[in-house]
């Protein structure tokens, strides 16, 4: 915004230049210089933005534990073999029961509940209803919604969570730490049962230790309907109790009315999952941290887990990465170039140590890409996402043991190490006096022990969008000049109103974008069962007819209207770019990753687009090339096209006719998870794309 | 999105007049739609951009409830508004339309207030437009009366008021600012149409409701004393000279008329009439207030809980102004000093200079005062912006050469959209902090300031340009 201000200030001075010979201030002069050479600078800035993005893995810093109170690994573990045998017994009991009994009941839950109460915990059961997808377009701006009970609850499908609370001997019951183990009580595999074993072992220890100052809640979430839903349902019940008796409570044999217990505010939450066998020699621990809308837990939580897992328990810790990038040749070349530059710099000055080996660079970029992608999607990567809605820091730990699930001997060791890791983490969190606040909330990970903070990654984005206000200002000046020359304005003196027509068009198309964004809500209300592709066809037809109506009713809005109504394309482009700039800046605050990826697409399109007719008429190579580029960028920029291309890139193959359906399903997942990315696509990307299309076919 | 709606409306105005009524009706329908179908969980009425401690209807309902249970409405620092407004609006908050759980009746009152304000603005605008074109004709700048250059500023202002997102939000979002705005507009309307009691009534009501409109007394007195917005006297003298030089009979008669208008210096009688009415009405208001608060501490309590609450900046919950943060940080010992400095700052730096510079344009002066008070108010809200933006639209003809309008518009839109986002990041997600929100508030204030600065500059330029034009004519 500061740049734009500068640019406009300059513009004012420039118009005054003729009459008043005041020498402008240096900053204004700089602005004039930038705007006057805006084509060059826009290319330079955009290229620098892309380069800065590529350089990010080099700039990653090592993580460090910022909060002193945490003191990870300073205390000796108190886990004993007795605890482990308790945990093993629990797993054995569950397995035996599952072998002998089939069916729906809640016996497994009761088994776990019995185990918990034997340890001395307060146990309760919670029933929840697996909700369908709901459309919350504006959910982002409101807080977590209060739990609305469905009126027509059927007893046909519901899940039952078990939770046990250990009251801390040194606590006052106002703070708690949550452990979550999702377990499918009906179809859960052997690996899943191991997670119960680890937590059971830990629970047995925590029930008798004296150092606890925060209550421990162990939630065994019924993951029959996905991991996320039971945790979210439990959290809503925890934070916003409903005072109306739900029909759900009376379902089945288990009566859960008036039994819900609480244990104060949550300091942190750990979700533990065990799945699959590790491909490596060591046990593998994957950390998942992304919650909805690219929110991350405090970096300290990840640091503590990473520190304990690597330095104490010898896990191989990893975060997700885009595997296909590891083998991409172009990235490898870039990595080699950076390595060579780094070496060269090191020879010039031994203090310059920014070069990293190509392999590290590849690894870092692949992790960074995955981090960006999952943040940009805005969909939580695990049940920990539900906690973030209540400002609780949470991560999911997915452990893959290196042994097959039935090996008894290895299991003992595995339980011991897993429980020790959790014990150490809980002990650290237990030490906290305040909630996590010391370390970063806004960061991207390039490896479990390396991160890029907001101050660094914002530079890439800022460089990318910096060219927008510059070009907007220069186009605005050009457009106003052109208008002054070409038309004799009847009002005579309405110099500063030239942009009004263009603003009207931009506003109309943004309004259209808003309506298109809200349309799926009404399409979902259409009675009857429709396949996703039918729905997408409905959506497509209604939006395109709406677009036609917009073009028809508002004169001057359509790219195909006569020349008299049409606005000057330079002014239109200037207003479009301003709108895109505002949209991108807003989005960068809501969800940085979405804005970064959106800017990579939108900025070049907005900068390069020009009316195609004069280019075709002139037949000069340069203008033809420009027209071709803008055509290509606009084709890529269409959201559906983009979706197809990204599917192709991720190796899932182009899907032809069912594309519409898949696109619909993808968008449905976005709004079901309340992702602001959906709003961005509908209200910033789509209107700007349409406006660029209008400029491309502008009749000038 | 702040003003684009208004701009759309502006464009429509070049069509015949029934366009105005269509757009006005559409805005009313939009309001009704929002009132009855707005998603509940959006909690518009608790957003700091919409309702402040002074204007929130939820607080008013609380005050009414306290009064019904025979306690002081000001108990517990919930309600800080006028006791008379409580008596008028209070019963509506407890009346529920069957099946609806919120204060829909109140919202309907606000819709009505908005319509009334728009109609009054339109009347003011028509009056201003007439004088503007008459003045131009007298100066000889404008030859034919049917010149296309003059926009119907009354219609534009009314539609800008009706379609401004700020107005719509504060109307739908249960804030009493539509009523406060109506009072201000009534006072201006009274002064423009020279209905002195009405002007005094509007001024007293507005001051009683939110204190800051008291500064409007200066423009109102100027308006009643000097008449509607015109150009500086010098121009008229120029034209008179020209009349003398040419010496033709028709010009002489015109010159007589001109001399009469220009030599009317200041209508002391009207102004005294106005002052008299102001005194009478303020005594009436005070008596009514003391009657309604007889059991609960009387006038003293009211002054303490309303005006002193405004001037002392007691409520430090975040709003779109700049004071809450400052006074949350300030040390308790220096608080009084800072309060005096800030309140005097408003009085001394903004009011007198503008009054001297714009005594020939009292309506514009009123606009400038309203922007200034919205910038340095203790509890500003979107409703204030709604009011001054529509008053600004009254001067589209004069301000057509305003610089940087596009940039200011973009800034306003950006800041207005950023505000809920930053608030969300601070309050709900916990990843931001108060500095984010305060930074946004500072940005908002900067843009408001740029807006008033550019408007004032454009108005001065306009006067200068007219002077030049008439000067050239006299030379020729």
């Amino acid at each position: 915004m500061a740049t734009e201000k500068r640019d406009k200030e300059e513009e004012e001075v420039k118009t005054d230049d003729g009459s008043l010979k005041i020498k402008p201030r240096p900053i204004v002069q700089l602005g004039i210089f930038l705007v006057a050479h805006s084509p060059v600078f826009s290319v330079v800035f955009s290229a620098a933005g892309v380069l800065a993005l590529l350089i990010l893995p080099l700039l990653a810093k090592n993580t460090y534990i910022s909060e002193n109170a945490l003191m990870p690994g300073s205390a000796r573990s108190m886990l004993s073999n007795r605890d482990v045998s308790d945990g093993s017994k629990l797993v054995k009991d569950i397995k035996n029961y599952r072998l002998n009994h089939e069916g729906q009941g809640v016996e497994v839950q009761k088994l776990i509940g019995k185990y918990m109460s034997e340890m001395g915990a307060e146990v309760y059961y919670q029933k929840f209803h697996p909700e369908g997808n709901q459309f919350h377009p504006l959910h982002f701006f409101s807080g977590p919604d209060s739990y609305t009970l469905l009126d027509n609850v059927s007893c046909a499908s519901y899940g039952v969570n078990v939770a046990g609370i250990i009251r801390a001997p040194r606590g006052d019951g106002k703070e708690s730490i949550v452990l979550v183990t999702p377990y499918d009580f009906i179809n859960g595999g052997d690996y899943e049962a191991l997670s119960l074993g680890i937590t059971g072992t830990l629970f047995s220890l925590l029930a008798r230790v004296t150092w606890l100052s925060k209550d421990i809640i162990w939630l065994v979430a019924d993951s029959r309907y996905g991991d996320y839903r039971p945790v979210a349902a439990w959290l809503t019940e925890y934070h916003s109790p409903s005072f109306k008796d739900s029909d759900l409570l009376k379902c089945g044999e288990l009566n859960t009315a008036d039994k819900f217990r609480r244990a104060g505010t949550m300091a942190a939450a750990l979700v533990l999952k065990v799945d699959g066998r590790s491909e490596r020699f060591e046990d593998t621990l994957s950390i998942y941290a992304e919650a909805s809308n690219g929110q991350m837990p405090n970096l300290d939580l990840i640091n503590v887990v990473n520190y304990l897992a690597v330095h104490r328990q010898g896990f191989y810790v990893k975060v997700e990465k885009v595997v296909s990038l590891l083998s991409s040749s172009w990235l490898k070349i870039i990595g080699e170039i950076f390595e060579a530059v780094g070496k060269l710099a090191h020879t010039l000055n031994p203090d310059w140590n920014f070069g990293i080996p190509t392999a590290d660079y590849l690894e870092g970029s692949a992790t960074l890409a995955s981090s960006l992608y999952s943040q940009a999607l805005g969909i939580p990567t695990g049940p920990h996402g539900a906690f973030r809605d209540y400002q609780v820091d949470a991560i999911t730990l997915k452990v893959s043991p290196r042994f097959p699930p039935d090996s008894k001997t290895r299991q003992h060791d595995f339980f011991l190490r897993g429980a020790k890791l959790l014990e150490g983490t809980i002990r650290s969190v237990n030490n906290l006096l305040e909630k996590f606040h010391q370390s970063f909330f806004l960061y991207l990970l390039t490896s479990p022990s390396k991160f890029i903070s907001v101050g660094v990654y914002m530079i890439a984005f800022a460089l990318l969008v910096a060219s927008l206000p510059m070009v907007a200002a220069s186009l605005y000046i050009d457009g106003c000049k052109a208008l002054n020359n070409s038309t004799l304005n009847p009002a005579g003196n309405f110099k500063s109103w030239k942009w009004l027509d263009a603003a009207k068009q931009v506003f109309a198309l943004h309004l259209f974008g808003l309506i298109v964004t809200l349309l799926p809500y009404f399409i979902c209300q259409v009675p009857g069962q429709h396949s996703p592709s039918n729905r997408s066809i409905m959506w497509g037809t209604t939006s395109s007819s709406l677009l036609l109506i917009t073009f028809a009713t508002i004169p001057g809005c359509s790219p195909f209207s006569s020349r008299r109504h049409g606005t000057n394309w330079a002014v239109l482009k200037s207003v479009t770019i301003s709108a895109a700039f505002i949209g991108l800046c807003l989005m960068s605050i809501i969800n940085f990753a979405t804005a970064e990826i959106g800017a990579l697409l939108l900025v070049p399109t907005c900068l390069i687009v020009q009316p195609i007719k004069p280019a075709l008429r002139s037949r000069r190579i340069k203008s033809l090339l420009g027209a071709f580029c803008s055509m290509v960028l606009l084709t890529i920029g269409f959201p559906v096209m983009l979706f197809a291309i990204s599917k192709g890139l991720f190796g899932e193959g182009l899907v032809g006719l069912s594309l519409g359906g898949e696109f619909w399903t993808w968008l449905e997942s976005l709004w079901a998870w309340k992702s602001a990315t959906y709003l961005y696509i509908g209200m910033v990307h789509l209107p700007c794309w349409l406006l660029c299309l209008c400029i491309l076919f502008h009749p000038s | 999105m702040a003003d684009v709606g208004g701009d759309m409306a502006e464009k429509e105005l070049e069509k015949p007049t029934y366009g105005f009524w269509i757009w006005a009706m559409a805005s009313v329908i939009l309001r009704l739609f929002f009132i009855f179908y707005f998603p509940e969980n959006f909690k518009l009425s608790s957003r700091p951009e919409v309702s402040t401690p002074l204007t929130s209807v939820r607080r008013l309902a609380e005050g009414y409830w306290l009064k019904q249970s025979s306690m002081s409405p000001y108990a517990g620092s919930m309600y800080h508004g006028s006791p008379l407004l409580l008596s008028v609006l209070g019963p509506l908050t407890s009346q529920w339309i069957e099946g609806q759980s919120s204060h829909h009746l109140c919202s309907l009152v606000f819709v009505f207030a908005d319509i009334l304000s728009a109609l009054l603005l339109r009347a003011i605008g028509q009056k201003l437009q007439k004088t503007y074109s008459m003045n131009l004709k007298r100066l000889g700048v404008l030859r034919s009366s049917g010149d296309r250059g003059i926009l119907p500023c009354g219609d534009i202002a009314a539609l800008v008021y009706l379609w401004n997102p700020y107005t719509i939000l504060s109307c739908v979002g249960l804030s009493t600012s539509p009523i406060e705005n109506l009072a201000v507009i009534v006072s201006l309307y009274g002064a423009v149409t020279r209905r002195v009691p009405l002007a005094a009534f509007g001024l007293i009501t507005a001051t009683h409701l939110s204190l800051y409109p008291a500064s409007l007394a200066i423009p109102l007195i100027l308006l009643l004393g000097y008449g509607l917005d015109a150009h500086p006297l010098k121009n008229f003298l120029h034209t008179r000279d020209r009349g003398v030089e040419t010496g033709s009979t028709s010009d002489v008669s015109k010159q007589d008329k001109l001399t009469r208008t220009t030599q009317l210096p200041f209508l002391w009688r009207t102004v005294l009439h106005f002052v008299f009415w102001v005194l009478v009405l303020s005594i009436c208001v005070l008596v009514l207030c003391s009657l309604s608060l007889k059991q609960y501490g009387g006038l003293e309590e009211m002054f303490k809980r309303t005006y002193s609450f405004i001037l002392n900046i007691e409520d430090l919950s975040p709003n779109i102004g700049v004071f809450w943060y400052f006074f949350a940080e300030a040390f308790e010992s220096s608080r009084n000093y800072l309060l005096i400095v800030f309140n005097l700052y408003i009085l001394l730096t903004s009011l007198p200079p503008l009054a001297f510079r714009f005594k020939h344009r009292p309506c514009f002066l009123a606009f400038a005062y309203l922007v200034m008070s919205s910038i340095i108010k203790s509890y500003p809200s979107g409703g204030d912006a709604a009011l001054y933006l529509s008053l600004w639209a009254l001067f589209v003809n004069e301000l057509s050469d305003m610089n940087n309008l596009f940039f200011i518009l973009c800034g306003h839109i950006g800041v207005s959209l950023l505000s809920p986002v930053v608030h969300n990041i601070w309050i709900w997600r916990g990843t931001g902090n108060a500095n984010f929100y305060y930074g946004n508030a500072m940005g908002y204030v900067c843009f408001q300031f740029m807006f008033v600065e550019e408007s004032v500059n454009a108005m001065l330029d306009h006067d200068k340009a007219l002077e030049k034009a008439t000067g050239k004519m006299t030379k020729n």
Side-chain angles (χ1 to χ4, degrees), chain B residues 122-147:
Chain B
R122 188 163 180 249
I124 296 174
Q126 280 164 351
K127 202 91 178 163
L128 280 176
Q129 186 192 344
K130 213 182 270 174
T131 26
Y132 178 68
S133 58
M134 214 158 71
N135 284 334
L136 283 191
K137 243 182 281 169
R138 272 193 203 147
L139 290 172
V141 178
L142 193 73
R143 294 301 155 104
S144 61
S145 58
D147 198 302

Side-chain angles (χ1 to χ4, degrees), chain A residues 421-476:
Chain A
L421 169 66
L422 290 183
E423 185 206 354
T425 316
I426 284 180
R427 207 151 180 183
S428 286
V429 176
N430 189 50
N431 289 341
L432 279 182
L433 296 177
E434 309 163 73
K435 60 184 276 193
F436 280 107
H437 67 281
Q438 281 278 352
S439 196
F440 294 90
F441 280 105
L442 304 167
Y443 56 91
L444 295 165
L445 288 174
T446 58
S447 86
S449 59
K450 281 193 162 185
F451 76 105
I452 305 162
S453 78
V454 56
V456 177
Y457 68 60
M458 264 307 203
I459 295 173
F461 177 75
L463 282 172
L464 207 54
V465 295
S467 46
L468 289 182
M470 229 158 51
V471 175
S474 104
L475 278 171
Y476 184 78

Side-chain angles (χ1 to χ4, degrees), chain A residues 106-391:
Chain A
V106 289
E107 292 308 315
V108 183
Q109 281 98 321
K110 283 190 172 165
L111 209 64
I112 296 172
K114 199 172 128 247
Y115 176 80
M116 288 176 179
S117 53
E118 272 171 11
M119 295 294 149
E122 297 173 18
V123 183
Y124 62 91
Y125 304 89
Q126 187 225 357
K127 290 178 188 164
F128 66 92
H129 198 265
E131 255 182 342
N133 281 344
Q134 279 190 337
F135 186 75
H136 295 289
L138 297 171
H139 179 89
F140 174 79
F141 290 109
S142 58
D145 40 30
S146 51
Y147 186 47
T148 44
L149 284 170
L150 304 170
D151 289 332
N152 49 350
V153 181
S154 68
C155 284
S157 61
Y158 66 93
V160 180
N161 293 328
V162 197
I165 303 176
I166 298 176
R167 299 291 172 185
R170 293 182 172 203
D172 51 2
K174 283 178 185 157
E175 281 181 303
S176 59
I177 303 169
V178 186
L179 285 168
V180 183
T181 40
Y183 182 67
D184 187 342
F185 295 107
I186 306 291
N187 318 308
D190 287 342
Y191 277 118
E192 273 190 58
L194 291 183
S195 67
L196 290 178
I198 294 178
T199 331
T201 307
L202 178 71
F203 209 66
S204 156
L205 167 76
L206 293 176
R208 60 185 172 81
V209 293
T210 50
W211 45 258
L212 268 187
S213 62
K214 292 180 169 65
D215 295 352
I216 301 288
I217 308 177
W218 178 18
L219 172 71
V220 183
D222 187 351
S223 65
R224 211 179 319 170
Y225 307 104
D227 286 350
Y228 184 89
R229 180 62 206 139
V231 180
W234 181 77
L235 276 170
T236 359
E237 178 83 36
Y238 192 95
H239 286 100
S240 45
S242 66
F243 299 103
K244 212 173 85 183
D245 268 351
S246 161
D247 297 339
L248 201 60
L249 296 178
K250 290 159 200 126
C251 291
E253 70 228 79
L254 203 65
N255 188 13
T256 58
D258 300 328
K259 296 262 172 64
F260 202 91
R261 304 279 163 91
R262 292 177 180 80
T265 55
M266 301 169 184
L270 297 167
V271 183
L272 184 76
K273 288 171 83 174
V274 178
D275 77 340
R277 210 176 145 177
S278 173
E279 288 157 4
R280 299 179 61 96
F281 178 67
E282 314 101 305
D283 296 332
T284 313
L285 174 72
S286 321
I287 299 178
Y288 295 86
E290 288 88 2
S292 60
N293 284 318
Q295 302 176 75
M296 301 290 278
N298 198 291
L299 190 55
D300 266 346
L301 187 59
I302 297 179
N303 290 345
V304 169
V305 172
N306 182 46
Y307 176 83
L308 290 173
V310 173
H311 297 289
R312 291 287 184 274
Q313 308 307 328
F315 281 101
Y316 170 72
V317 182
K318 64 171 191 178
V319 284
E320 252 194 308
K321 54 189 147 204
V322 182
V323 183
S324 59
L325 276 183
L326 285 178
S327 51
S328 82
S329 49
W330 61 273
L331 203 63
K332 205 170 176 183
I333 294 170
I334 294 173
E336 276 160 5
I337 293 172
F338 282 145
E339 192 183 354
V341 171
K343 270 182 189 158
L344 186 71
H346 189 70
T347 52
L348 291 177
N349 184 346
D351 289 341
W352 291 345
N353 280 323
F354 56 81
I356 56 170
T358 315
D360 284 6
Y361 178 79
L362 278 179
E363 195 87 356
S365 322
T367 318
L368 178 68
S370 158
S371 196
L372 266 177
Y373 174 75
S374 17
Q375 287 194 20
L377 215 51
I379 297 178
T381 46
H384 59 269
F387 285 93
R388 190 63 230 168
D389 289 345
Y390 299 91
Q391 295 195 23

